[in-house]
Structures are given as structure tokens and as C-alpha cells.
Amino acid sequence: MDRHRDRKNRRAKGAGLFARFMADREGVTVIEFAVLALPFALLVFAILESCVSFAAQEVMANATDDVARQLRTGELSSADATETKVKQLICDQLQLIVAKDCPGLMVDLREVGTFQQAARLGFRINGSQIQLTDGGADTNPVVLAGGEMSKNVLRVFYKWPVMTDFMAKTMSNMSDGTTLHFASAIWQSEPF
């Protein structure tokens, strides 16, 4: 009988302990924070990663437009528009947010006969490589600007490194874990 009473007292004591634990609200904030901290941190990092990537894309688009304007107005002559010079002009503006010397930067500058021909230019991602196409046929990148009154296309590609590991699978579109940023400009040069 004493055994039975001891069990009953222990259950009551245990039930009382559980009831007291459930009624105690002093540690609720800590527990809620612990439960919500990881999803909140993931959300914050995802927003930051997306914002930085978007800002880099916009800076690259502006740099591309700036170089295209220099070529369109004759400020940068077609003879001076070498691959090194065009890359340097774009990289000078990108260096605020990318590594020195812009690793992963690729430019393609070419004269086209018509704007319809420019519209046929494309590219595809093949693993971690960028393959340029012209009407479906593969082509190699060139830097060859036309003179005055010529129609030109400038395409700029940059392999943006995804900074946070857990975002790499959702943000990257290349097999090396980077995401491709792309900007282009099509214009007819002015008479200069």
C-alpha cells in the first residue's frame, strides 16, 4: 500500500512539475528567439545576397552603357577599342564591388550589318562556360568595333560569385557556383 501511495505521490509531483513548467513564462522569449533565429538569419542573408547581386548587375549595365556611349560618339575610336581597353573601362567601374582586375569578365563587341542581325545574337550556358551564338551557330567572342554610322553590339558577361553557401544552389546558374550577370547595348554610331 505504501508503494501504491509513493507512486501516486510521484505522479502527482511529476504532473505538478510539468504543469509548473508549462505555466512558467519566464523563458518563453529565449525559446521563441531560438526557434525563430535561424529562419530569420536565412531570410536576412537571402535578402542581402540578392540586393548585392542586383546592385552589381546594375553597375555592370551602367558601365556597359557608358562604354557604348563612348564608342557611339567617337570619344573612344574603333582603333582604340581593343579587348584590353574595353575590359579596363568596364572593370574600372566594377572594381567598387568586384575583385581586382575583374576575374570572370568577358566582353564581345562586334559590328553588325542590321539590327535584325543583332537580334539574332545570343548565348547559352554550358556548365561553367558561356557559349556565344549567332542565329544558333556557335561563335567566339571578338572585340571589333565599326566606324562612324556603323551598327554595333556590345555584350558584357560577368561570373558573379555567390557569397553565402546556402544560397549557391538557388542563385547560381553555372556549374561552378557562380551566377551569370549580363548586359548589352546596341547602337548606330554617330557621324564623327
Side-chain angles (χ1 to χ4, degrees), residues 1-11:
M1 189 142 178
D2 282 338
R3 271 187 176 165
H4 183 64
R5 195 180 318 151
D6 284 343
R7 276 191 207 159
K8 198 174 184 182
N9 285 341
R10 273 188 255 149
R11 279 189 204 144

Side-chain angles (χ1 to χ4, degrees), residues 48-67:
L48 289 174
E49 180 84 46
S50 299
C51 289
V52 171
S53 180
F54 179 75
Q57 171 67 38
E58 288 303 306
V59 169
M60 190 176 82
N62 288 338
T64 302
D65 288 342
D66 187 47
V67 171

Side-chain angles (χ1 to χ4, degrees):
M1 189 142 178
D2 282 338
R3 271 187 176 165
H4 183 64
R5 195 180 318 151
D6 284 343
R7 276 191 207 159
K8 198 174 184 182
N9 285 341
R10 273 188 255 149
R11 279 189 204 144
K13 199 177 203 180
L17 180 63
F18 182 72
R20 282 189 312 211
F21 177 75
M22 292 304 291
D24 186 6
R25 306 306 272 169
E26 290 181 24
V28 169
T29 304
V30 173
I31 293 170
E32 287 176 351
F33 180 76
V35 169
L36 296 175
L38 182 63
F40 180 74
L42 291 174
L43 180 64
V44 168
F45 282 118
I47 290 170
L48 289 174
E49 180 84 46
S50 299
C51 289
V52 171
S53 180
F54 179 75
Q57 171 67 38
E58 288 303 306
V59 169
M60 190 176 82
N62 288 338
T64 302
D65 288 342
D66 187 47
V67 171
R69 181 186 46 76
Q70 290 178 32
L71 287 162
R72 183 178 65 243
T73 60
E75 181 180 342
L76 177 62
S77 70
S78 58
D80 292 337
T82 63
E83 180 178 6
T84 304
K85 178 70 173 178
V86 172
K87 276 187 171 182
Q88 189 61 49
L89 287 170
I90 293 169
C91 190
D92 286 346
Q93 294 183 41
L94 286 178
Q95 279 188 341
L96 294 169
I97 52 177
V98 301
K100 185 178 179 179
D101 298 326
C102 303
L105 179 67
M106 184 176 100
V107 297
D108 179 61
L109 170 63
R110 60 183 67 213
E111 180 179 3
V112 292
T114 64
F115 289 121
Q116 290 79 13
Q117 184 182 354
R120 287 195 310 266
L121 296 175
F123 69 93
R124 67 177 168 270
I125 298 171
N126 187 7
S128 65
Q129 301 299 316
I130 305 157
Q131 181 57 56
L132 303 179
T133 61
D134 183 358
D138 290 350
T139 183
N140 293 320
V142 296
V143 177
L144 194 60
E148 59 182 89
M149 299 304 292
S150 64
K151 295 171 182 65
N152 297 274
V153 177
L154 173 61
R155 299 183 291 172
V156 179
F157 303 88
Y158 185 76
K159 293 180 179 182
W160 179 259
V162 181
M163 292 177 262
T164 51
D165 288 340
F166 64 87
M167 291 295 294
K169 289 183 181 175
T170 58
M171 280 190 74
S172 63
N173 56 5
M174 302 188 82
S175 64
D176 59 1
T178 59
T179 186
L180 183 63
H181 286 186
F182 168 70
S184 66
I186 302 171
W187 71 93
Q188 179 171 344
S189 295
E190 298 174 3
F192 38 81

